[in-house]
Amino acid sequence: MKIIIYGSKYGTAKQYAMELSKRTNIKAKSYKDINNINEYETIIYIGALYAGGVLGMTKTFKKLNNCENKKIIIATVGLADPMEKENVIKIENSMKRQLPVDIYEKANIYHLRGGMDYSKLSFIHKIIMKLIYEKTKRLAEEKKTPEDKEMIATYKQKVNFVDFSSLENIISEINR
């Protein structure tokens, strides 16, 4: 049996999970609704990058008794461009802190771009984004990364980098 599990705060991880479900006919569920992860042979986890980690991932994989005979696919969803090696290193270092070594090493990991609608952020997240924006804006121009410049340019706007064609590699992995 196969399952798509997602952890989504503002919706883009859920969008990817639902689209993947549609394309593969695999049921998608929120990590909050998963009772017995051990019954699945293939586990696809799609999680939002949130507060320094992947939302719901630790809680989900803590329920897994043995990963030996499982296919594990994890896709992160965030604003950071996964084509930038530096971003991938940061994300994967964070994932290593969230997952047991055996699960991390077994997992096929992918990174997808999400989006952000500032008008939908909670009050506390708006404050955090303002602090990050102010700090980044004060950086010397030569120290600003392409991500920093993009964040400054799009601050308080709606940005959407969702690209369902990026699911093709995950679909190939599922079918392998």
Side-chain angles (χ1 to χ4, degrees), residues 83-97:
M83 301 313 275
E84 297 285 332
K85 187 178 179 183
E86 203 176 286
N87 293 336
V88 172
I89 291 169
K90 283 181 190 174
I91 294 166
E92 292 184 1
N93 283 337
S94 174
M95 291 175 72
K96 285 177 188 174
R97 289 189 297 272

Side-chain angles (χ1 to χ4, degrees), residues 137-145 149 152:
K137 211 169 79 168
R138 287 192 300 270
L139 285 173
E141 201 59 36
E142 65 275 4
K143 291 194 176 192
K144 290 178 185 165
T145 67
K149 292 174 185 175
I152 291 167

